[in-house]
Amino acid sequence: MMGALAFMQVSQEELKKEILHTWETGRDWAIPIQIGPVDISINKAVWFMFFGAAVTFLLLFVGSRLLKSRPGAYQVIVEELYGFGRNQLAGQMTQEGQKFLPFTLSLFVFILVLNLIGLVPGAYPVTSNISFTLGLAAFAVITYNFVGIKRNGLGTYLKSLVPPGMPAKPIMVPFMFFVEGLQQFITQPLTLAMRLYANILAGHLIIFVFLGLILYFGALSVVPLLSVPMAVVFYAFEIFVAFIQAYIFAILTQVYIELAMNAGEDH
Amino acid sequence: MLDPTGIFDLPNTSLIFWEIITFLILLGLLYWFVYPPIRDQIQQRQRTIEQSIDEAEKTRKEARELLQEYREQIKEAREEGRQIREEARQEGEAQRERAKKDAREEADRIVARAREEIQRERESAVREVRQEVTGMVIQASEQILGRSIDRDEHGRLISDALDELEADVAAAGSRSGR
């Protein structure tokens, strides 16, 4: 479609459509399923999420079945992924945090695979969908609050939201409770979701906008000389972002878990 | 759908629904089937590496001890060699001294014998000369006297005279300081 348009100039409306094409097709290829009023049809985004999950599983599963004492390149990658999780993700504060390595490492690899799949032209970048990242953040927020309450008891956990030694107790304690509670239950998961979503979305948009400039100014203008190299540069940068955002999401989840774990001791 | 462009795709109920299911299944599969073998493999490799390091350490220690031992042995051997050389030198020296001494003694003996011999020769020569002289003197005296004389009596007289002469010569020799 873009190829056909390459040699003609397009209107702003068409240009916008071209740039947003990837996300507009998110609900295509649908197998309609409905539970009461809730739509759970399997559409393009879901297909790609399935694909990403399958790739994540197969990547690690095949790696775990081909283990030899003298590792090949593939095994090294799988083992390094796991070792990276053990050394860089889990156990940042307490050794006990290692227990949650399977969770955060799975998050990391899943997000990373989805980020990288999203970079393939024509694929749907699942991690640039706010619904998806909010869902992952919900997993995180439920996990770390559950761990915090289970480890410290509900009372201690809620009490730990307010730092000790507050002046003007009658005003400050409810205020701090509100602020910290907001952070613990709303802000942290929201920022987790928004960060991943916005970074991946912005990266794709920048590439599309640079390429879209060619459509707007025409392929025979001077614009392609500038916008194609810029798109390539940002494409490469997006690969880096794919890794870094997956890592940030995973390590923040891990840190939140370990913070909640030790909530009773810090305050 | 709030946003027809799909950029702010909220709420995408189907995606959230399938996400929860997919992620839980993925998590379970990874937790039960994938992580344990990888963890075991890494731990086993870690153990193997630690073992190898220990072994290498041990081997190195042994090698160092062996080297030390060899050094000591070499030192001992060198010391022993030095000692043997020293002994041999002393032995040689003693041998040489002894040989020198023997040779000197031998020479002394030869010289002494030669001296004795000479002495004896001289004495016999002197005796012969005296007999001759005595004979000649007696013969001369007989011719002068025209008769025979008592050979024994005269022989003794001549011998006494010769003794006297000899003593005089000896005295003169010793006086003149030879």
Side-chain angles (χ1 to χ4, degrees):
Chain A
M1 196 169 186
M2 279 211 173
L5 291 164
F7 290 98
M8 57 175 103
Q9 295 184 347
V10 294
S11 72
Q12 282 196 18
E13 202 48 46
E14 284 169 312
L15 184 64
K16 184 182 164 201
K17 200 169 164 49
E18 282 303 322
I19 290 173
L20 299 179
H21 177 74
T22 299
W23 292 275
E24 282 174 342
T25 60
R27 302 212 179 199
D28 293 359
W29 310 355
I31 298 175
I33 307 172
Q34 196 90 16
I35 297 181
V38 183
D39 171 33
I40 56 161
S41 35
I42 300 175
N43 52 34
K44 190 180 177 186
V46 177
W47 283 122
F48 272 97
M49 187 191 60
F50 285 166
F51 180 59
V55 169
T56 304
F57 174 69
L58 286 178
L59 173 80
L60 292 173
F61 181 75
V62 174
S64 76
R65 296 299 125 140
L66 292 178
L67 293 175
K68 292 183 291 266
S69 49
R70 285 175 180 272
Y74 177 50
Q75 188 183 339
V76 168
I77 291 173
V78 172
E79 281 186 12
E80 279 305 310
L81 262 177
Y82 189 84
F84 160 80
R86 236 178 28 169
N87 300 326
Q88 310 293 327
L89 267 180
Q92 300 290 331
M93 291 180 236
T94 53
Q95 206 51 37
E96 223 192 328
Q98 291 278 4
K99 274 205 307 206
F100 288 88
L101 172 63
F103 177 56
T104 41
L105 183 59
S106 303
L107 267 180
F108 172 71
V109 182
F110 189 37
I111 295 171
L112 175 62
V113 166
L114 286 176
N115 283 348
L116 291 176
I117 288 174
L119 284 173
V120 177
Y124 183 84
V126 184
T127 43
S128 72
N129 188 308
I130 183 74
S131 293
F132 178 79
T133 57
L134 274 175
L136 284 187
F139 272 107
V141 71
I142 290 168
T143 305
Y144 71 70
N145 282 312
F146 177 75
V147 170
I149 291 167
K150 196 181 162 207
R151 283 265 314 197
N152 304 294
L154 183 61
T156 318
Y157 185 61
L158 289 180
K159 228 184 280 171
S160 76
L161 290 176
V162 182
M166 275 280 137
K169 272 194 189 281
I171 306 161
M172 285 307 282
V173 167
F175 176 70
M176 286 308 291
F177 187 79
F178 174 72
V179 168
E180 292 284 319
L182 194 68
Q183 163 145 339
Q184 195 78 359
F185 297 103
I186 310 280
T187 318
Q188 282 179 358
L190 205 60
T191 51
L192 269 183
M194 291 300 285
R195 184 183 300 109
L196 179 60
Y197 154 74
N199 269 286
I200 304 302
L201 179 71
H204 282 75
L205 277 179
I206 284 173
I207 295 169
F208 285 137
V209 165
F210 269 118
L211 295 178
L213 289 177
I214 302 173
L215 297 180
Y216 191 69
F217 290 100
L220 299 176
S221 66
V222 76
V223 173
L225 294 179
L226 203 72
S227 64
V228 169
M230 287 306 285
V232 170
V233 166
F234 272 99
Y235 206 100
F237 184 64
E238 278 313 295
I239 296 173
F240 171 68
V241 169
F243 279 90
I244 207 81
Q245 287 304 323
Y247 177 59
I248 288 175
F249 196 101
I251 193 156
L252 278 178
T253 306
Q254 180 71 33
V255 166
Y256 292 158
I257 289 172
E258 292 186 24
L259 274 176
M261 223 182 226
N262 302 317
E265 291 148 37
D266 294 344
H267 296 285
Chain B
M1 204 179 354
L2 294 176
D3 174 25
T5 60
I7 280 186
F8 195 74
D9 192 11
L10 204 68
N12 190 336
T13 46
S14 55
L15 185 59
I16 293 173
F17 174 80
W18 290 113
E19 175 191 1
I20 292 167
I21 290 180
T22 310
F23 189 66
L24 284 178
I25 292 173
L26 179 67
L27 205 58
L29 286 174
L30 292 178
Y31 187 78
W32 294 115
F33 298 113
V34 170
Y35 292 140
I38 297 179
R39 192 186 52 224
D40 292 348
Q41 173 72 25
I42 288 177
Q43 276 170 355
Q44 194 195 324
R45 168 140 353 97
Q46 214 160 24
R47 260 201 307 280
T48 313
I49 290 172
E50 271 164 18
Q51 237 165 28
S52 307
I53 289 174
D54 283 351
E55 218 154 281
E57 199 98 337
K58 214 172 73 191
T59 311
R60 209 171 53 185
K61 207 175 129 213
E62 272 175 17
R64 208 180 293 135
E65 280 169 7
L66 215 59
L67 184 67
Q68 187 65 26
E69 207 171 293
Y70 283 158
R71 274 203 186 121
E72 262 160 34
Q73 275 179 9
I74 287 174
K75 210 172 119 191
E76 265 169 37
R78 212 170 263 162
E79 180 65 21
E80 205 170 323
R82 207 185 57 74
Q83 216 167 319
I84 288 171
R85 225 171 33 236
E86 181 65 18
E87 268 171 27
R89 206 180 57 73
Q90 282 174 353
E91 183 86 359
E93 195 106 327
Q95 190 95 31
R96 209 167 57 209
E97 282 302 311
R98 203 155 23 189
K100 237 197 269 184
K101 204 172 122 214
D102 282 359
R104 204 157 34 227
E105 281 172 0
E106 182 71 28
D108 286 353
R109 236 185 348 265
I110 289 170
V111 168
R113 210 181 308 136
R115 214 169 263 156
E116 264 169 41
E117 193 91 355
I118 289 164
Q119 188 68 17
R120 229 177 4 252
E121 287 293 316
R122 206 182 68 170
E123 275 168 10
S124 87
V126 166
R127 211 162 35 239
E128 256 170 52
V129 167
R130 276 166 88 146
Q131 273 171 5
E132 200 118 329
V133 167
T134 312
M136 276 159 67
V137 169
I138 290 171
Q139 208 173 0
S141 306
E142 276 173 348
Q143 278 177 359
I144 292 166
L145 295 172
R147 61 166 181 105
S148 71
I149 53 175
D150 185 3
R151 273 190 178 257
D152 287 347
E153 180 67 17
H154 279 82
R156 200 171 35 84
L157 283 173
I158 292 164
S159 189
D160 284 351
L162 279 173
D163 281 348
E164 222 163 283
L165 184 68
E166 225 167 71
D168 279 357
V169 169
S174 68
R175 234 194 338 267
S176 69
R178 241 202 295 195

